Amino acid sequence: MPMKPVTNVLGHLLGYSASRLRNPREDLKAEEAERLLDCLVQAGPIYMKMGQLLATRSDLVPGEWVETLRTLQDDAPRMDAATTRAVVERELRAPMNSVFREFDLEPVASGSVAQVHRARLLDGRQVAVKLVKDGVPEHIDQNLRLMGRGVRLAERMIPAVAESDGVRRFTEVANLFRSQADMLQEAARQKTVYRNFKGHPYVRVPQVIPDFVTPRMLTMEFMEGIRGNEGHRVRLPPAQLARRLQDTIYTMLYMHGLSHGDPHPGNILFSEQGELILLDYGITVELSEDEKWGLSSFYYACTRKEWDIAVERFTAHFVTGKENLTERWDEYRKELVAALEHHFDTVSNRWSTISYFRDVSTILRKYGARYTTSFTKVELVFLSCEGFATQLDPDINIWDNARKFTDRYSPYMSKEVRERFDAQFKNQIPSSLEMRDRANRSLVAPTHIHRYFFPSTYPIFVKEAQGGRVRDLDGNEYVDLSGGYGPHILGYSHPVVNEAISTGIAAGLLNGIGNEPEVELAETLVEAFPSAQRALLCNSGTESVLLAIRLCRAYRRRKTVVKFEGHYHGFSDQGMVSSWFRFTGDKHAPDPIAGTLGSNEDVVRSTLVLQYGDIGGLERLRERLDDVACVIVEPMPSSTTTLDQDFLAALRKLCTESGVPLVFDEVVTGFRVAYGGAQTLAGIEPDLTCLGKIIGGGLPCGAVVGRAELVEMSRSSEDPFIDYEQKAFAGGTLSGNSMTCRAGTAVLAHLRANQHLYDELEAKTQRLRADFLESTRKRDISCRINARGSIFSLNFSHRSAGVYRERMAGSNFKATIALAYYMRRHGVYMPELHSFLLSTAHTDDDLATTGKAFDLSVADMANDGFFVT
């Protein structure tokens, strides 16, 4: 495929295209388009890429140009048959027929860098073979070297180029172009995207055939489809198809952090039913967890019209060269606010990515600043996506469709949905809303009203609770799936609890002084766990974790605590490290990050964060054993409801060998999934177990149980000097109070005597899970529901649970939060974005009501646009 040297055509191309873009002649548009196409082809692969992008911008160039340049997307010049055969056999280092039963030497598509052939392997599988065209890598290198010289010269002579750090930015772009000719890199990226979309309802990615991948050849599953520029042939309304495209690209950017970097019509096929087939991973955009957070937080501020905050976030995450900005901040802030307000508010219904980026770039250049490289890549993806989507549906509202991602932590898809919620709940729960407003004048309630990260917009206030139901101030009755976040396994107002509390009231409430109920509760706890020899009582699950970690630090005389990403151990600084929705570092080697403002950074830094289920990641623990005080883990995390027995066994083995105490946090699962907790299901004994919730019978309670030498680190030696030197302090005025201990012992005694209740709870759990899945399945809504032992973890996503951050990255938070409010409209109370629970008090009627409410809710949500189908 002969190409003219770039110097022969570049000057003509730039001068010609610039003048014609400004003032194209109507009578010569078709001829001009052909001449421009010829220039781009002769200039080589890099310039053909420019033409591919122009072919999606019907808003910028004449229609005749768009039609002509579209040939660059999948019908660019190709190798002849003889050259193709030689390339294949060179890559295989063997005759073609030793691998392929059939091989069509006429390509089905040809792009700027590679061409694709249909073939059949000897085992009968039909495959697509992508071949880098002969001479293209060398031509790319030649073009980039010439361009690089020009950029370096320009940087020395033109201040604007120097200020924009032109050489560095060009080098990064050049590396992207060079990687397009490396099929080994492309195969690795394609495998990752394949895993990310596995199980998706309408996105398909060809599976790589690794045995036949070489530096210049990529073999993959063959997928037939309608070309991207022929979307009119798809049996789906254009608006729906365009929205699917936008949702797919935004999912990759905002959620997966690995996006197709070149989503033009030549790289995407459609099935007749409207499935998207994503091809060609020569260029991808990869965002770190910090960059994903920055992208979401910036656009979220824009959706809320919090312009000053938006400027701060944008500047912090996506701007470099900020020296002049600091000195002229007020002036810069005002200009950027005006630009953001214009695009995100005034003309949001006529959104134009290219206009938005142009205006912001102009402001940055004025102050000697520039986009980061990552944001530049995101800009290119947004531009390609917008151009393609607009081709499919010229009336598409880009910004409105983006709400699923840009304000993903709100429960509304539109102004209309919010207004409907407001009207519905004003009529349904007026007394609760009035109490909410009253409470706001005196109370901060971070557990149920002003919840961190996800505040409750429409809280209910309960007047009475009985069995598996609650009744609010307005007399509305709800099936309750919160269970007080876990304590009420027997439901509300259970006779054994009421009797224990009544007896305790008559006997007098005791605390801070010895009483028989505290001894009885301790005996019950020690008896329930095979590994337990002693118990230490406290007032909450958070306290139990604080005490367990202190005991281990004192015992080991070490300070590093090992925990797992996404595992929440109460509201202490250590318990919240890397527990929420903010992650940083590599997914296989997370960096610790504070769970909240106000955390002690020394505590955060003294935490080693691993991934639950990643046995290979335990090597990081092995390398740090000399510094480790203990390992704390939720054996069955309530956020995912998974129990990885093999991983826990490997962790137990390593801790045993090294003498590092293993602590199980069973504050939620203790006595809920089984009598004795998740450790009895796994058959693995920790050194310490942290407990709370159920063991108090609905009253505040916590406990640490385990090996005597660890728990007795808090027992006095009767020598004050030894106590200070060798013991750890544990206290609490209400720890072991008689009322809590009576209630807790009564509940545990009832569970111990009626262990058939656990089988019944599991049956109810699986019945409700099946009902929920059927409701989503029949509507083609992606939903993952993990459920075991009365604990439910629901996630509107096609992705199975991998490491915690991947599960969160696949979550439709907006839909999950909104579900709580839709369910409330249909008589079921569940907390916003939290695991929900069943109790032994829930009846068949309760389950039927819940199943029907869920079915109605997801139907309403689908109609309101929460799911792209």
Side-chain angles (χ1 to χ4, degrees):
M1 184 174 58
M3 298 178 185
K4 295 181 181 179
V6 65
T7 50
N8 293 352
V9 296
L10 183 55
H12 172 65
L13 169 64
L14 294 178
Y16 168 83
S17 60
S19 64
R20 295 311 186 199
L21 270 170
R22 285 194 299 270
N23 188 26
R25 288 182 54 180
E26 291 292 332
D27 59 334
L28 295 177
K29 282 182 181 177
E31 179 184 340
E32 290 169 347
E34 291 295 337
R35 291 173 60 194
L36 176 58
L37 174 64
D38 183 58
C39 284
L40 292 170
V41 170
Q42 292 185 63
I46 294 175
Y47 299 92
M48 284 191 271
K49 282 290 175 190
M50 297 177 187
Q52 290 171 349
L53 182 59
L54 279 177
T56 68
R57 302 305 309 190
S58 56
D59 54 332
L60 299 179
V61 299
E64 289 82 357
W65 289 25
V66 169
E67 288 300 318
T68 301
L69 295 178
R70 279 179 180 172
T71 61
L72 293 173
Q73 292 170 348
D74 55 17
D75 198 23
R78 54 199 62 194
M79 297 184 292
D80 59 34
T83 305
T84 298
R85 178 182 291 276
V87 169
V88 172
E89 294 190 339
R90 180 192 68 209
E91 294 303 304
L92 291 174
R93 299 183 180 180
M96 185 181 288
N97 60 12
S98 68
V99 172
F100 299 106
R101 180 190 299 177
E102 303 168 8
F103 194 103
D104 188 350
L105 292 170
E106 181 67 22
V108 295
S110 180
S112 56
V113 173
Q115 59 191 50
V116 180
H117 296 260
R118 186 196 302 251
R120 191 177 298 276
L121 296 173
L122 294 180
D123 62 12
R125 283 180 291 171
Q126 193 173 34
V127 296
V129 181
K130 183 174 182 179
L131 296 172
V132 176
K133 298 176 185 179
D134 241 17
V136 163
E138 294 77 13
H139 202 84
I140 289 175
D141 280 340
Q142 177 191 8
N143 281 3
L144 291 175
R145 282 197 300 272
L146 288 171
M147 288 180 175
R149 291 173 192 166
V151 172
R152 286 190 291 274
L153 179 63
E155 189 170 77
R156 289 196 296 270
M157 300 179 64
I158 304 173
V161 177
E163 290 171 3
S164 65
D165 200 6
V167 170
R168 182 184 64 83
R169 294 170 76 84
F170 172 77
T171 300
E172 291 169 342
V173 173
N175 289 336
L176 277 178
F177 276 113
R178 287 191 176 96
S179 73
Q180 281 198 285
D182 186 338
M183 294 296 100
L184 294 176
Q185 286 190 43
E186 181 166 341
R189 294 190 289 261
Q190 185 166 331
K191 288 178 185 177
T192 300
V193 179
Y194 172 84
R195 288 194 299 270
N196 288 343
F197 280 112
K198 188 174 182 180
H200 195 279
Y202 59 77
V203 177
R204 302 287 177 264
V205 178
Q207 188 170 10
V208 171
I209 313 296
D211 290 343
F212 306 112
V213 176
T214 71
R216 300 287 175 87
M217 183 177 80
L218 169 58
T219 306
M220 70 195 89
E221 172 187 9
F222 186 86
M223 289 187 171
E224 290 193 86
I226 297 167
R227 291 186 176 191
N229 56 16
E230 298 177 334
H232 60 278
R233 294 173 51 198
V234 177
R235 298 174 186 172
L236 207 66
Q240 187 176 359
L241 189 61
R243 191 177 179 200
R244 282 187 172 186
L245 171 65
Q246 185 185 350
D247 186 83
T248 299
I249 300 302
Y250 278 46
T251 294
M252 288 191 277
L253 281 173
Y254 281 91
M255 302 170 88
H256 298 166
L258 176 64
S259 174
H260 198 298
D262 197 14
H264 65 68
N267 288 336
I268 296 178
L269 302 177
F270 302 117
S271 71
E272 288 188 0
Q273 294 73 34
E275 295 171 313
L276 277 67
I277 302 169
L278 306 183
L279 308 173
D280 194 342
Y281 298 90
I283 294 179
T284 55
V285 176
E286 188 166 358
L287 298 179
S288 68
E289 289 295 331
D290 294 327
E291 289 168 332
K292 284 165 56 182
W293 179 269
L295 196 66
S296 294
S297 65
F298 162 60
Y299 282 117
Y300 188 58
C302 291
T303 65
R304 293 169 59 86
K305 302 180 183 180
E306 296 171 338
W307 309 118
D308 286 346
I309 294 175
V311 169
E312 290 174 3
R313 290 174 178 170
F314 173 76
T315 307
H317 290 284
F318 297 114
V319 176
T320 61
K322 307 176 190 178
E323 295 78 10
N324 291 334
L325 295 185
T326 304
E327 297 173 2
R328 303 168 63 189
W329 178 261
D330 287 342
E331 183 183 354
Y332 162 76
R333 178 187 57 77
K334 289 177 183 177
E335 290 193 44
L336 192 52
V337 162
L340 296 178
E341 190 169 7
H342 172 74
H343 288 284
F344 289 97
D345 189 17
T346 308
V347 297
S348 63
N349 61 335
R350 301 186 304 279
W351 177 262
S352 169
T353 299
I354 196 165
S355 297
Y356 160 61
F357 279 119
R358 180 195 62 216
D359 291 350
V360 174
S361 293
T362 300
I363 294 170
L364 292 179
R365 284 198 300 273
K366 177 178 178 180
Y367 294 93
R370 56 195 177 276
Y371 288 134
T372 61
T373 302
S374 291
F375 203 70
T376 302
K377 296 175 188 175
V378 170
E379 172 186 2
L380 292 173
V381 175
F382 278 149
L383 286 171
S384 294
C385 175
E386 178 184 326
F388 190 179
T390 303
Q391 278 186 17
L392 296 170
D393 175 21
D395 298 322
I396 188 172
N397 188 326
I398 294 288
W399 182 237
D400 187 56
N401 290 344
R403 289 196 60 146
K404 174 182 171 184
F405 304 89
T406 54
D407 63 347
R408 58 195 297 206
Y409 301 114
S410 78
Y412 320 108
M413 277 304 297
S414 65
K415 179 182 177 183
E416 292 73 25
V417 171
R418 177 160 194 163
E419 289 174 347
R420 198 182 321 135
F421 274 0
D422 287 343
Q424 168 79 30
F425 287 112
K426 183 178 181 181
N427 181 63
Q428 180 180 331
I429 57 169
S431 299
S432 283
L433 296 183
E434 183 180 340
M435 186 64 72
R436 174 200 63 188
D437 296 340
R438 175 183 165 187
N440 284 337
R441 293 191 290 270
S442 60
L443 172 69
V444 174
T447 304
H448 56 93
I449 303 177
H450 313 105
R451 189 182 302 107
Y452 186 78
F453 225 90
F454 301 104
S456 182
T457 310
Y458 310 104
I460 66 168
F461 283 78
V462 174
K463 185 174 184 179
E464 50 188 6
Q466 186 78 34
R469 299 197 173 214
V470 297
R471 190 183 303 275
D472 70 16
L473 296 178
D474 292 291
N476 299 301
E477 189 171 86
Y478 306 85
V479 176
D480 175 63
L481 300 182
S482 70
Y485 294 126
H488 304 289
I489 191 171
L490 302 181
Y492 295 103
S493 194
H494 193 279
V496 302
V497 177
N498 290 349
E499 182 181 352
I501 292 176
S502 297
T503 302
I505 291 174
L509 174 60
L510 296 171
N511 62 281
I513 190 170
N515 61 88
E516 186 176 3
E518 70 173 331
V519 177
E520 290 177 341
L521 179 58
E523 290 172 341
T524 302
L525 295 175
V526 168
E527 180 186 351
F529 296 92
S531 61
Q533 297 169 315
R534 300 286 187 275
L536 172 63
L537 301 180
C538 54
N539 293 294
S540 69
T542 293
E543 286 188 20
S544 71
V545 170
L546 281 165
L547 288 172
I549 290 174
R550 178 179 291 176
L551 293 174
C552 291
R553 283 188 175 134
Y555 180 79
R556 283 274 293 172
R557 307 295 176 99
R558 305 287 191 275
K559 68 176 183 178
T560 300
V561 172
V562 180
K563 74 179 297 287
F564 294 84
E565 190 170 84
H567 289 207
Y568 174 70
H569 303 293
F571 59 76
S572 69
D573 291 356
Q574 193 107 56
M576 289 183 66
V577 170
S578 300
S579 291
W580 294 96
F581 303 89
R582 182 71 168 95
F583 312 115
T584 189
D586 183 84
K587 71 177 182 180
H588 294 298
D591 293 328
I593 189 167
T596 176
L597 185 66
S599 295
N600 185 326
E601 286 299 325
D602 289 337
V603 171
V604 176
R605 285 191 293 269
S606 68
T607 309
L608 174 64
V609 181
L610 306 179
Q611 292 288 10
Y612 182 80
D614 181 9
I615 293 180
L618 294 180
E619 285 304 309
R620 295 178 64 222
L621 168 58
R622 192 182 297 278
E623 293 167 1
R624 295 278 300 275
L625 287 173
D626 287 344
D627 301 327
V628 172
C630 66
V631 178
I632 185 166
V633 61
E634 290 184 79
M636 189 176 123
S638 56
S639 60
T640 57
T641 323
T642 54
L643 181 66
D644 192 327
Q645 192 167 1
D646 291 341
F647 176 75
L648 292 173
L651 180 60
R652 173 69 277 179
K653 183 173 184 293
L654 179 55
C655 288
T656 300
E657 292 171 351
S658 61
V660 171
L662 176 60
V663 182
F664 277 7
D665 178 348
E666 295 226 48
V667 171
V668 175
T669 54
F671 298 103
R672 175 166 285 279
V673 298
Y675 190 84
Q679 59 193 263
T680 64
L681 299 178
I684 296 170
E685 298 179 6
D687 299 297
L688 292 177
T689 299
C690 297
L691 299 167
K693 300 190 185 294
I694 287 174
I695 68 165
L699 300 179
C701 191
V704 181
V705 302
R707 286 168 39 201
E709 63 266 32
L710 287 169
V711 180
E712 290 195 350
M713 288 298 297
S714 62
R715 172 177 281 175
S716 173
S717 67
E718 301 185 11
D719 180 331
F721 300 98
I722 290 178
D723 280 4
Y724 183 78
E725 294 168 353
Q726 300 182 18
K727 297 291 183 176
F729 176 80
T733 299
L734 294 173
S735 298
N737 73 80
S738 61
M739 187 70 76
T740 291
C741 292
R742 283 182 190 274
T745 301
V747 169
L748 298 185
H750 183 78
L751 291 172
R752 182 179 56 209
N754 296 276
Q755 295 197 37
H756 63 278
L757 292 173
Y758 290 107
D759 294 332
E760 294 173 6
L761 262 179
E762 180 63 15
K764 293 176 184 178
T765 301
Q766 298 311 319
R767 170 186 162 182
L768 192 60
R769 176 178 183 272
D771 288 347
F772 282 10
L773 286 175
E774 178 57 26
S775 292
T776 55
R777 188 181 296 116
K778 69 185 181 183
R779 294 180 176 86
D780 292 325
I781 295 170
S782 294
C783 187
R784 295 276 180 176
I785 304 176
N786 291 342
R788 185 170 183 177
S790 79
I791 304 174
F792 289 76
S793 173
L794 183 147
N795 185 23
F796 286 111
S797 172
H798 67 278
R799 301 175 82 183
S800 58
V803 299
Y804 183 78
R805 68 173 62 179
E806 289 179 337
R807 184 180 189 277
M808 289 296 102
S811 295
N812 184 346
F813 294 118
K814 181 182 292 293
T816 309
I817 298 168
L819 174 65
Y821 298 129
Y822 282 90
M823 292 286 278
R824 250 165 252 188
R825 292 167 57 188
H826 297 295
V828 176
Y829 179 83
M830 63 167 56
E832 299 93 330
L833 209 75
H834 193 280
S835 300
F836 55 96
L837 308 158
L838 289 179
S839 73
T840 62
H842 283 112
T843 65
D844 288 343
D845 285 345
D846 293 335
L847 297 182
T849 297
T850 302
K852 182 178 180 181
F854 184 82
D855 191 64
L856 293 171
S857 294
V858 293
D860 292 342
M861 293 168 69
N863 291 334
D864 287 338
F866 282 88
F867 311 109
V868 177
T869 57

